[in-house]
Amino acid sequence: MTLSITTSTLPSGVVEISPAGEIDVENAYEIKEAVAGQLAAGRPERIELDMHGVSFIDSVGISALVAAFQLASVSGVKLVVTRPSRFAHRQLWVTGLLGLFGAPEPCADCEEPSRQPLVSGA
């Protein structure tokens, strides 16, 4: 599965970046680039990463989230994770980074994104 990222500005002025799919070694840089692009376009008060559509995130993806957080922080912008899928929530919890991203609860009203089997024939 690939990664798609949509960006919108909410009426409150908050920028929402919504990745969907798998965040892994092949595409994790796209998360940081999306945040950097928003910071270059202006200085939003807050950036929310709506992660309800993330079906998988590996250690490189987690690293990209931390890099995006640091990039926003240096610019004086608060970056938080909102509505994480259960998988994304579990990964942030296991790595001890849930608090860094605003301690979001897993998205209770979201359908879990479909996952491709890791091994063909599984």
Side-chain angles (χ1 to χ4, degrees), residues 2-73:
T2 59
L3 177 67
S4 65
I5 300 174
T6 57
T7 304
S8 59
T9 302
L10 305 178
S12 62
V14 170
V15 170
E16 183 178 72
I17 298 173
S18 302
E22 298 182 1
I23 303 172
D24 58 25
V25 68
E26 293 181 14
N27 58 28
Y29 68 92
E30 293 179 35
I31 295 292
K32 185 177 174 190
E33 284 182 354
V35 170
Q38 290 302 310
L39 294 171
R43 184 180 255 170
E45 181 179 319
R46 177 179 167 111
I47 295 175
E48 295 182 353
L49 289 175
D50 180 348
M51 296 187 55
H52 79 275
V54 175
S55 59
F56 177 81
I57 184 166
D58 67 7
S59 60
V60 178
I62 295 291
S63 235
L65 291 181
V66 172
F69 177 88
Q70 291 171 333
L71 186 62
S73 182

